Amino acid sequence: MNLSTMILKMSEGLGNTCAIFFLTLLFSLPLGMVFALLRMSKSRIVSSVMRFIISILRGTPLMLQLLAVTYGPYYLFKDTLDGIGVAQNKLIPVVIAFAINYAAYFAEIYRGGIESMPIGQYEAANVLGYTKMQTFMHIILPQVVKRIMPSITNEVVTLVKDTSIAFCVSYQELFTIGKMIANSETSFTPFLIAGVFYFVFNAIVDLVMGRIEKRLDYYK
């Protein structure tokens, strides 16, 4: 197999890699905010339970979580999953595992940003007659987003590379296809091609996130 054929074949898996990436962000970013708010709940029970869940998600390997989400339900609900076609579509468990895992990391980033806000911001909003929801949405959240953007960018860049973990459940993303070609051709070239793909992908992500940060400079 020549170089151009390898690149063409591996580019087919790039679409699945992008699907994992964008769907994970789509679900994990808002879910992370939900986790953060539950973690900051005034109820000790809710806060403690959420803290425990986040600790589990951050303290165990993503690969282990991916295997559990992908194959665990199959053994418990085999007939049900076969009936609705979930067992055949591995993108569903892959996105679920990635979204939940990254939501835990985003939750701690959000929490750190929210708790870093001076108490005076809340007091001033209260004097102006803002409700708690209005204060959070119009005053606190915009400033928090600006503060946490570097940390969010770091996690997003990590996500690009972590998509390769989907190979452990044989999902046909970029790295999986590259590994299959490398085994069949007994060549390291596919891994080098995959490395270039990931590097370019990350460069684009870093550029986009950098521009978003600049757009938020007016919150200084």
Side-chain angles (χ1 to χ4, degrees), residues 125-141:
N126 185 51
V127 170
L128 293 173
Y130 281 79
T131 64
K132 289 184 178 181
M133 180 61 70
Q134 290 174 331
T135 300
F136 181 76
M137 295 301 297
H138 299 296
I139 298 176
I140 302 302
L141 186 58

Side-chain angles (χ1 to χ4, degrees), residues 141-176:
L141 186 58
Q143 297 180 74
V144 167
V145 170
K146 174 65 179 77
R147 292 189 178 197
I148 67 175
M149 277 306 296
S151 298
I152 292 293
T153 298
N154 185 59
E155 289 300 322
V156 173
V157 168
T158 301
L159 173 58
V160 174
K161 296 175 287 185
D162 277 354
T163 56
S164 61
I165 296 178
F167 88 92
C168 71
V169 293
S170 301
Y171 182 67
Q172 299 293 305
E173 45 75 52
L174 176 62
F175 186 80
T176 304

Side-chain angles (χ1 to χ4, degrees), residues 10-27:
M10 290 181 66
S11 64
E12 296 174 1
L14 184 60
N16 289 335
T17 294
C18 289
I20 298 173
F21 176 78
F22 289 111
L23 288 174
T24 297
L25 288 183
L26 178 65
F27 294 112

Side-chain angles (χ1 to χ4, degrees), residues 14-15 43 46 68 74 77-78 93 103 115 134 157 165 179 184 217:
L14 184 60
S43 169
V46 173
Y74 176 79
F77 312 107
K78 180 178 183 300
E115 292 184 345
Q134 290 174 331
V157 168
I165 296 178
K179 187 172 182 294
S184 63
D217 279 346

Side-chain angles (χ1 to χ4, degrees), residues 33-148:
M33 180 58 72
V34 174
F35 283 4
L37 294 177
L38 291 175
R39 171 72 175 80
M40 298 170 65
S41 172
K42 293 182 179 180
S43 169
R44 287 190 176 183
I45 296 177
V46 173
S47 178
S48 297
V49 170
M50 198 67 248
R51 181 178 182 179
F52 176 74
I53 292 174
I54 291 176
S55 296
I56 293 295
L57 293 173
R58 297 176 68 205
T60 57
L62 174 56
M63 183 181 293
L64 177 60
Q65 296 170 28
L66 180 57
L67 291 170
V69 174
T70 302
Y71 298 116
Y74 176 79
Y75 292 106
L76 295 174
F77 312 107
K78 180 178 183 300
D79 293 336
T80 302
L81 292 177
D82 286 340
I84 61 178
V86 173
Q88 288 74 33
N89 188 355
K90 289 185 178 179
L91 178 60
I92 296 175
V94 167
V95 171
I96 290 174
F98 271 77
I100 294 176
N101 178 270
Y102 269 83
Y105 287 93
F106 288 140
E108 290 302 285
I109 293 174
Y110 290 146
R111 185 174 68 86
I114 294 171
E115 292 184 345
S116 71
M117 297 302 299
I119 190 65
Q121 298 275 349
Y122 297 93
E123 293 174 346
N126 185 51
V127 170
L128 293 173
Y130 281 79
T131 64
K132 289 184 178 181
M133 180 61 70
Q134 290 174 331
T135 300
F136 181 76
M137 295 301 297
H138 299 296
I139 298 176
I140 302 302
L141 186 58
Q143 297 180 74
V144 167
V145 170
K146 174 65 179 77
R147 292 189 178 197
I148 67 175

